[in-house]
Amino acid sequence: MITVTPLDKIGNDARGYTYEYFHERMGRHLICFRKAGSVSGRHYHKGLSLTKDPELLILAQGNITVNWRHIHNKELQALWVEGPAKIEIPPYIWHEVVAMTDCTFIELNSLSEHEADTFTDN
């Protein structure tokens, strides 16, 4: 199952809002800017890379729908996520991210780690 954790709002003033979260991973990460209506993912990870066990996304801004299912199950589940939030996707969970609005998220892994542990189940 996918886990969504709201981020801690620690400030609010005329400039805007400030949120805080614990960052448990080091190294290179991806910052993804997605347009409303775009779809990302449509794959799963086996957890071969430590950064994909689980996959962690920080939705900084915007709203997304995460469609997901265990790879041995054909029934899709849908999860609405409003940023800011932290999303954890365990191994063997097929998932796609549908941008409901323009959005920005941080993927806590590098592109090479992503490519080494990404599978489709056609």
Side-chain angles (χ1 to χ4, degrees):
M1 169 178 274
I2 294 176
T3 303
V4 176
T5 305
L7 300 184
D8 298 325
K9 187 176 185 180
I10 62 168
N12 178 18
D13 62 25
R15 298 171 296 168
Y17 304 99
T18 302
Y19 285 81
E20 181 177 70
Y21 74 98
F22 176 74
H23 191 307
E24 56 273 288
R25 295 193 176 160
M26 307 256 314
R28 298 184 64 82
H29 301 122
L30 304 174
I31 302 173
C32 305
F33 302 87
R34 297 294 183 258
K35 295 180 180 179
S38 67
V39 179
S40 301
R42 294 188 173 157
H43 58 242
Y44 68 94
H45 310 286
K46 294 181 179 179
L48 303 174
S49 168
L50 291 178
T51 61
K52 294 297 186 179
D53 189 11
E55 179 173 18
L56 298 177
L57 304 175
I58 303 297
L59 178 60
Q61 182 177 4
N63 300 320
I64 63 173
T65 297
V66 180
N67 295 317
W68 66 276
R69 62 178 173 76
H70 190 278
I71 62 166
H72 298 303
N73 187 342
K74 296 298 178 190
E75 184 178 335
L76 278 179
Q77 309 264 345
L79 184 62
W80 169 268
V81 183
E82 184 174 333
K86 177 180 168 182
I87 304 161
E88 297 182 42
I89 305 170
Y92 297 98
I93 299 294
W94 180 94
H95 54 280
E96 68 180 4
V97 173
V98 181
M100 306 310 289
T101 64
D102 288 353
C103 63
T104 303
F105 60 88
I106 301 167
E107 234 183 272
L108 299 181
N109 55 260
S110 69
L111 184 58
S112 61
E113 291 167 318
H114 175 78
E115 291 173 342
D117 191 5
T118 297
F119 303 88
T120 59
D121 61 346
N122 298 330

